[in-house]
Amino acid sequence: ITKGGMQSLVAGHKTERGFKDGQDSEARFNCPHGTTVDGDGNLLVSDSGNHALRKVTHSGAVSTLAGNGQVGFADGVGAAVRFHQPMGIVVDTQGTVFVADDKNHCVRRVAPSDGAVTKLVGVGGEKGFADGQR
């Protein structure tokens, strides 16, 4: 959104949803929810309906950082990771990404070095309210 209020499509298609990496409008998202910008200026997107984290580069290239469109709970790297509607997403000054994995009721961490996703806090898949150690 420009200062003048003009909006433009960054990536994906305004009427077609799906799960596809690609350039600009060739890419598809399904209910993108949260966004943040990493240290290199790439846009990171929690693609909630596809249960994945995506990256949009300056050139408009969309790639999947973690997840593969299948719902579930699994730590790992790349397509081995499972989310259940990732929502909020932030990145710290060291490049670590933190994601609110909504339906898994936990916060997940993505390591900047190798992209490994691990549970930071919460019990994957279990609702509740409790303070304590992770």
Side-chain angles (χ1 to χ4, degrees), residues 25-47:
S25 62
E26 293 174 6
R28 295 291 180 270
F29 295 88
N30 184 6
C31 300
H33 192 77
T35 61
T36 192
V37 177
D38 70 12
D40 295 326
N42 298 305
L43 181 67
L44 304 180
V45 180
S46 57
D47 192 355

